[in-house]
Amino acid sequence: MSSPPVAPPGWSRWLVPPAALAVHLSIGQAYAWSVFKPPLESALNLSGTESALPFQLAIVMLGLSAAFGGTLVERNGPRWAMTVALICFSSGFLISALGAETKQFWLIVLGYGFVGGIGLGIGYISPVSTLIKWFPDRPGMATGIAIMGFGGGALIASPWSSQMLSSFGSDNDGIALAFLVHGLSYAVFMTLGVLLIRVPRTEKPVVDAPSAFEGVQVSANNAIRTPQFWCLWVVLCMNVTAGIGILEKAAPMITDFFAGSSTPVSVSAAAGFVALLSAANMAGRIGWSSTSDLIGRKNIYRVYLGVGALMYLLIALFGDSSKPLFILCALVILSFYGGGFATVPAYLKDLFGTYQVGAIHGRLLTAWSTAGVLGPLIVNWIADHQKDAGKHGSDLYTLSFGIMIGLLVVGFVANELVRPVNARHHIPAPREAVDVERQQPA
C-alpha cells in the first residue's frame, strides 16, 4: 500500500471505471439512510431529528475528510485510499450494529456518522485523479461513470435494506443484523475495487491522446489561493443547494403542490416520484458530464445554472397546474444536480491540471457540506413559517423557489468569472516529472 500499483503492459484502462464503481456504488448507500429512520425511531424511541443525526454527521465528515485527506490520497495513491475507505465505511456499519444491538444510539452516530463518514469522503475522491490520468481524452465521461455510482447506490441499497428489515424484523435486533450484513457485504464488494485499481505506466496511456500532465499544473495549496477555486466553490455550492432543496423534501413537496387538486398525489405515487428523481440524478452524472467533453465545462455549467433557474421559475409559476410540468422540471433540476457533481473534477483538471487534482477536488467538496445544510434549511424553514402563517399547497414553496433562482443566478455569474489560472500559481515542470518517475516500476 506504500506506493500506487502501476499497470502492467497491456492493462486495459476500461478496468479502472469498474474499480471506481465498486467503491462508489457501496458508499452511495448513504442516500438510502431514510430506510432505517422509521425502524430506529420505533426501536430506540427517537425523534425524526435524532434519527437524522447519523446521516447529517456522515455528510459533514464526507466534506471534511475529503478536504483534509485529499493530499494523503494523492501522495499514497488510489489503492491506499480505497483500502482506508473500505475499512472506515464497513467498520462504521459494524459499530452501528453493536449500537443497535445494545440500544446505544450514540454508537450508531459514532459508527455510521463519524467513522463511516470518513470512509465516504476518502472513498468519494479515491479514484478521481486516477481516472483523469487514464482518460485524458474523455475526463468528463470517466469521472461521470464513477460518480454515477454514488448517485445510483441508493437504487440498490434501498430495496435491499427494506427486504432485510422485513426478513430480520424492524426491532433493534433486526436493525443490528441488517447493519452487520451491510458492513460485511460492502467490505467484499469494495475489495474488488482495491484489487482492480491501477495507475498508468506512462503519462500518455492512450495513443494520440493528450498527455495526462500536459499544460498547466497547480498544487492543491496554490489552487486554494486562486479566485478560480473560489468561483468554482460558489458554482458547486449553488448548484447543489438548488438540487438538494428538492431532493430532500421531494415526497411531501409534490403532495403539497397537488393537495387541493382533483387528483391528489398518493403516498405510493410520491415514493415513485422520489425514485424517478434518483434515476435522473444518476443519469445526469454520466450524461451531462460526457456532454461536457464535447461542449466544454464552462458551457455545461451555463446549462446547469441558467436552465436550472428557468426550471425553478416554471415550477413556481405553473407547477401546481400541471403534474407533467412539475415532474419534468424537477427531473431536469436533479439531472443537473448529479451532472454538477460529475463534471466538476474535469473542470478542476482543465484549470489546475492533474498534478494534485484529487486533493483540490477534496477541498472543493466543502461546498457540498455547506449546501447539504443550506438547501434543506431554506426549503424546510420557509415552508414551516408559511404553514404557520396559514398558507398551504404550492404557496409553501414560492418564496424558497425564488431564493433558489437567485442562488443559481449567483452561481451563473461565478461561472462567468472563471478565467485561466495566473502563471504565478503554476508549478515548475521538473517537479511534475519527478512525481511521474516515482510511479514507474523500478
Side-chain angles (χ1 to χ4, degrees):
M1 298 301 171
S2 59
S3 61
V6 179
W11 183 267
S12 172
R13 65 175 180 166
W14 292 102
L15 292 173
V16 180
L21 270 174
V23 173
H24 273 243
L25 280 170
S26 298
I27 63 177
Q29 185 280 335
Y31 279 144
W33 174 253
S34 60
V35 174
F36 289 102
K37 278 172 63 67
L40 282 171
E41 291 166 17
S42 175
L44 302 182
N45 194 27
L46 304 173
S47 67
T49 302
E50 288 172 330
S51 67
L53 282 175
F55 173 78
Q56 289 174 317
L57 180 57
I59 296 300
V60 170
M61 291 309 301
L62 186 158
L64 293 177
S65 61
F68 291 105
T71 303
L72 288 173
V73 171
E74 288 288 346
R75 182 182 305 149
N76 296 318
R79 177 170 287 180
W80 175 88
M82 288 181 174
T83 302
V84 170
L86 184 161
I87 292 170
C88 290
F89 189 65
S90 296
S91 296
F93 271 111
L94 300 183
I95 296 170
S96 298
L98 178 62
E101 181 64 30
T102 59
K103 296 189 176 181
Q104 298 293 315
F105 182 59
W106 70 271
L107 280 174
I108 299 177
V109 176
L110 173 68
Y112 190 92
F114 184 79
V115 179
I118 294 172
L120 285 179
I122 299 298
Y124 191 87
I125 63 173
S126 62
V128 169
S129 177
T130 303
L131 283 165
I132 288 175
K133 289 169 185 173
W134 272 111
F135 292 87
D137 51 335
R138 285 182 278 183
M141 180 213 69
T143 54
I145 290 174
I147 293 174
M148 174 185 70
F150 191 86
L155 294 180
I156 298 171
S158 291
W160 184 39
S161 300
S162 297
Q163 182 58 49
M164 276 196 285
L165 290 171
S166 297
S167 301
F168 302 152
S170 55
D171 58 358
N172 66 297
D173 291 333
I175 296 169
L177 187 53
F179 282 155
L180 177 63
V181 172
H182 272 76
L184 297 177
S185 299
Y186 284 131
V188 172
F189 195 56
M190 293 172 77
T191 299
L192 296 176
V194 172
L195 296 176
L196 274 178
I197 196 68
R198 297 287 188 281
V199 296
R201 171 174 286 269
T202 68
E203 66 177 74
K204 198 168 183 180
V206 185
V207 177
D208 297 328
S211 166
F213 295 90
E214 190 175 275
V216 172
Q217 302 293 335
V218 181
S219 70
N221 287 336
N222 282 344
I224 62 173
R225 298 187 179 99
T226 66
Q228 288 83 355
F229 176 88
W230 294 106
C231 282
L232 278 189
W233 194 98
V234 172
V235 166
L236 183 63
C237 186
M238 299 302 100
N239 191 60
V240 174
T241 300
I244 210 168
I246 286 183
L247 185 63
E248 190 271 342
K249 203 175 174 64
M253 184 182 292
I254 193 171
T255 302
D256 289 336
F257 256 76
F258 300 100
S261 71
S262 58
T263 55
V265 176
S266 65
V267 174
S268 60
F273 174 62
V274 174
L276 279 176
L277 292 182
S278 296
N281 176 12
M282 183 173 66
R285 292 175 186 240
I286 181 62
W288 293 121
S289 60
S290 297
T291 303
S292 77
D293 289 332
L294 302 176
I295 69 173
R297 254 55 82 171
K298 194 167 191 174
N299 285 333
I300 200 69
Y301 273 95
R302 285 170 173 150
V303 173
Y304 296 157
L305 300 159
V307 178
L310 177 61
M311 294 296 103
Y312 258 115
L313 181 62
L314 288 175
I315 292 177
L317 294 178
F318 310 110
D320 60 347
S321 61
S322 171
K323 281 182 188 175
L325 177 66
F326 179 94
I327 293 170
L328 177 62
C329 290
L331 291 176
V332 171
I333 291 170
L334 261 294
S335 76
F336 292 162
Y337 167 82
F341 278 124
T343 308
V344 81
Y347 207 162
L348 291 172
K349 176 259 182 188
D350 293 347
L351 290 170
F352 303 110
T354 58
Y355 173 60
Q356 289 189 331
V357 68
I360 299 169
H361 184 221
R363 287 161 170 76
L364 194 76
L365 289 182
T366 54
W368 184 2
S369 296
T370 303
V373 174
L374 191 60
L377 180 64
I378 291 171
V379 174
N380 287 293
W381 186 81
I382 291 177
D384 289 343
H385 279 69
Q386 297 290 62
K387 188 174 292 185
D388 291 341
K391 295 186 178 181
H392 54 84
S394 61
D395 291 340
L396 297 174
Y397 304 98
T398 303
L399 177 57
S400 60
F401 283 6
I403 293 173
M404 294 298 180
I405 292 170
L407 292 178
L408 287 168
V409 170
V410 169
F412 190 94
V413 172
N415 184 52
E416 294 302 306
L417 294 175
V418 173
R419 298 287 186 273
V421 176
N422 191 292
R424 71 176 184 273
H425 297 293
H426 300 179
I427 60 171
R431 184 174 172 185
E432 304 164 35
V434 168
D435 283 351
V436 174
E437 289 172 6
R438 284 175 182 165
Q439 293 186 8
Q440 304 307 311

